[in-house]
Amino acid sequence: MDYALILRLAVSAIGIVMLLLDFLLYCKKRIIERLAFVWAVLFAAVILIGLVPGLGGWSRCFPPDVEIILVVLVLIFIWILFGTSLIVSDLVAKNQELAMQVSLLNCEAERILRTLNSVTGKDIMDNK
């Protein structure tokens, strides 16, 4: 079997696994929609690069030892970026939750001020 074919199939398999992981994390609400879509497009491109013979010309540009090292380095880089995307998604969700809590607290504070104004007969907001 051709070494380049094995490498292309491995790249395609990794792309499929990462695409499934992206979809699973999106379903579990661990990654936001925008980032999940970007990663899905990237992983679909990786799958195509591995499966379509004309797009796999990059594998003939390097010696076999360098190809493996290059693929491993690119996978590590993609994994780091994917992990960063998960962290960003978590922070976006926490930020939205905090914004909702602040909004609820502001509504509660306004309600308390209106109640206090009706009880005391003074407009506390005028003193500010």
Side-chain angles (χ1 to χ4, degrees), residues 24-42:
L24 178 68
L25 290 172
Y26 174 69
C27 289
K28 289 185 174 184
K29 306 277 189 214
R30 295 264 330 270
I31 190 167
I32 59 175
E33 184 176 316
R34 291 172 292 190
L35 290 176
F37 177 74
V38 169
W39 282 111
V41 169
L42 177 74

Side-chain angles (χ1 to χ4, degrees), residues 29-119:
K29 306 277 189 214
R30 295 264 330 270
I31 190 167
I32 59 175
E33 184 176 316
R34 291 172 292 190
L35 290 176
F37 177 74
V38 169
W39 282 111
V41 169
L42 177 74
F43 295 140
V46 167
I47 294 167
L48 284 176
I49 287 172
L51 291 180
V52 178
L55 298 176
W58 60 270
S59 63
R60 290 183 290 261
C61 296
F62 303 104
D65 297 339
V66 176
E67 287 177 5
I68 294 172
I69 293 171
L70 184 64
V71 168
V72 168
L73 288 176
V74 168
L75 288 175
I76 290 171
F77 182 69
I78 288 174
W79 189 254
I80 290 170
L81 290 178
F82 193 72
T84 304
S85 296
L86 292 176
I87 293 169
V88 168
S89 296
D90 186 42
L91 291 174
V92 166
K94 287 179 180 179
N95 191 30
Q96 288 175 344
E97 183 180 341
L98 287 173
M100 286 188 286
Q101 288 178 359
V102 166
S103 176
L104 290 172
L105 287 172
N106 284 338
C107 289
E108 182 69 16
E110 287 177 11
R111 186 187 64 76
I112 290 171
L113 284 175
R114 280 193 305 269
T115 304
L116 188 61
N117 287 342
S118 66
V119 169

